Amino acid sequence: RAMGTTLNTDALLMGSVDILRGGENPQVSINAKMIDCTDAGVIWANSISRTGADYTTFLGLGKITSLDKLVRTVVKKLLEGLPGRMAANDLSLAPFELMRASFSPRILRGGETARVSLQVKEILGKVRDIKAFVLDDKIDLRTGDGKWYSGSVTAPAMEGTYPLKIYVTDRWNRLFSMDAMAGLTVQNRPPEIALSVQNRSISPNNDGVMDRVLFIPEILKAITLKGWKVEITDGDGRIVRSEQGMGALPEGFVWRGVDDQYKAVKDGIYFCRLIAEDEAGNTTSTPEEKIVVDATPPKISVEIADENEKGVTLALKTDDVNQIGYWELIVYNTEGVKAAAFDGKGDIPFDSNGGYSKKKISVGLKEAVESGFTYSIEVNDVLGNRLYIKKEPLKRSEIEEVYVEPPEKERNVWIEDF
């Protein structure tokens, strides 16, 4: 722009010669471009590279052997397409440029203070005065070298994005306006986030079945986050596992039932929550999501609950945090031959008298115990934890009857209410 003003021209043509080589087969490579002196935009550009042999025709005729002739031919070809006219200069352009304008922080809450920084580059003259506004609030700018200006502004109370308006006066007292060079964003509400869980029970025993839980975070309202944190706590509120990061949320979090030292946690109930902070400093967290950790095989007891002339009744009782997925019971006689078999899916059913599931085996009276009958049982819960007992002897139930005295007959009693 300074060259255009000094030379009183609208455009400059500039270029370079990359290769200039003589000899029997001369070679030339040239590039050129035309620059608008008002905004430094490229109006036209071209590049060309030729050798004398490029002009050879049939029977070797037409080859250029003179470097001078090759240069004139290439330059003429290079300048083809050069525009014959261009738009007039905008004489209202400022004799300086605003190189940089910024707020720090760029996003904040209403009523907080932000710092404004401006960098001015003088081209044809010096800046006489410079003013900056956010809405109608004037920013008191200070400078030490006439190039960098700084000041502070209090953010408006209402949410929104507010442009920085700049007014500059040159030495001829001409006023130039520069809008939207920077924007100040006010955010007062905390980010809206959610955390979903694919499976709420895990068995982290590395058997490939339900070994991990996947948490999927989500931003419900488009906003830029400054940072996030995931916390997993035990039933007493102690943090056993945490992870944090800056910027956008990852696609998901995976927990394999370990603590921050990568040691397996105890069986029990755990809780997970997501905490997020936006660039304005607003913080929010999701409700706690309950996770059950169970890496312990089910417990089961198999006993003879009843005997009569028709056979023996077995009582099965299971104890597990989670539901039973599949179970199978096989009873063997004294010769090791299968005498009976039972299986099922889901929890072993309970009756109303003591919580036992009774399975009838048609064998002789007391034969199962006195002759040394055995049983094998396999129980798998829904998380893949497996219990297997192989050929244990059948035993009678050791549950003892407890006599409870009947309650005394109710008597009439006076009750005074004071």
Side-chain angles (χ1 to χ4, degrees), residues 17-30 48-55 64-68 70-71 74:
V17 178
D18 300 321
I19 297 176
L20 188 65
R21 183 179 297 128
E24 295 182 358
N25 185 29
Q27 184 178 1
V28 175
S29 179
I30 305 175
I48 190 170
S49 179
R50 294 288 188 273
T51 66
D54 292 336
Y55 296 92
I64 299 177
T65 58
S66 169
L67 177 61
D68 180 66
L70 179 62
V71 168
V74 170

Side-chain angles (χ1 to χ4, degrees), residues 96-102 116-122 127 130 141-143 145-150 164 166 168 178 181:
F96 39 74
E97 288 185 1
L98 188 61
M99 304 297 295
R100 187 175 303 172
S102 63
V116 182
S117 297
L118 306 175
Q119 183 185 9
V120 179
K121 181 179 180 181
E122 297 174 344
V127 174
I130 182 169
L141 296 175
R142 297 181 181 181
T143 183
D145 56 5
K147 297 180 180 180
W148 283 94
Y149 294 81
S150 63
L164 176 65
I166 301 173
V168 186
M178 303 176 184
M181 298 299 297

Side-chain angles (χ1 to χ4, degrees), residues 10-281:
D10 297 322
L12 296 176
L13 183 64
M14 57 185 65
S16 64
V17 178
D18 300 321
I19 297 176
L20 188 65
R21 183 179 297 128
E24 295 182 358
N25 185 29
Q27 184 178 1
V28 175
S29 179
I30 305 175
N31 69 78
K33 60 182 176 179
M34 180 175 284
I35 306 297
D36 190 330
C37 291
T38 56
D39 60 4
V42 177
I43 302 172
W44 167 90
N46 196 9
S47 177
I48 190 170
S49 179
R50 294 288 188 273
T51 66
D54 292 336
Y55 296 92
T56 303
T57 60
F58 184 66
L59 298 177
L61 301 176
K63 180 180 179 180
I64 299 177
T65 58
S66 169
L67 177 61
D68 180 66
K69 183 179 179 180
L70 179 62
V71 168
R72 285 186 278 109
T73 302
V74 170
V75 169
K76 183 179 179 180
K77 183 68 176 178
L78 175 72
L79 297 180
E80 289 181 0
L82 189 67
R85 63 178 63 220
M86 59 177 290
N89 286 340
D90 185 359
L91 299 178
S92 64
L93 288 174
F96 39 74
E97 288 185 1
L98 188 61
M99 304 297 295
R100 187 175 303 172
S102 63
F103 288 100
S104 180
R106 181 178 57 87
I107 303 176
L108 72 174
R109 287 172 287 201
E112 296 181 344
T113 301
R115 184 173 181 81
V116 182
S117 297
L118 306 175
Q119 183 185 9
V120 179
K121 181 179 180 181
E122 297 174 344
I123 299 176
L124 298 176
K126 292 185 176 297
V127 174
R128 180 177 180 180
D129 186 31
I130 182 169
K131 297 178 181 179
F133 295 84
V134 171
L135 294 179
D136 295 330
D137 294 334
K138 181 181 178 182
I139 303 172
D140 184 18
L141 296 175
R142 297 181 181 181
T143 183
D145 56 5
K147 297 180 180 180
W148 283 94
Y149 294 81
S150 63
S152 60
V153 61
T154 300
M158 296 183 61
E159 287 191 340
T161 299
Y162 301 89
L164 176 65
K165 299 180 180 179
I166 301 173
Y167 301 94
V168 186
T169 304
D170 66 6
R171 62 180 179 177
W172 297 287
N173 206 30
R174 294 182 300 175
L175 181 64
F176 299 90
S177 174
M178 303 176 184
D179 294 339
M181 298 299 297
L184 183 66
T185 301
V186 176
Q187 291 179 186
N188 296 325
R189 291 174 293 179
E192 299 178 15
I193 57 176
L195 186 67
S196 58
V197 186
Q198 280 197 342
N199 50 292
R200 299 182 178 273
S201 297
I202 61 173
S203 172
N205 52 12
N206 298 319
D207 62 354
V209 180
M210 307 290 284
D211 286 330
R212 63 178 189 171
V213 58
L214 175 63
F215 302 100
I216 302 177
E218 182 181 3
I219 297 182
L220 303 180
K221 180 182 178 182
I223 196 172
T224 303
L225 294 182
K226 179 181 179 182
W228 52 266
K229 186 176 183 180
V230 176
E231 292 181 346
I232 298 177
T233 58
D234 60 16
D236 296 327
R238 292 187 295 264
I239 298 176
V240 297
R241 185 80 173 95
S242 64
E243 185 176 346
Q244 59 187 2
M246 305 298 293
L249 292 171
E251 295 183 358
F253 308 101
V254 175
W255 186 47
R256 304 179 186 277
V258 296
D259 58 19
D260 285 330
Q261 285 72 44
Y262 299 98
K263 295 181 179 179
V265 299
K266 297 179 180 179
D267 287 3
I269 298 176
Y270 294 83
F271 302 91
C272 178
R273 68 169 181 164
L274 171 65
I275 305 169
E277 180 184 3
D278 62 20
E279 292 189 341

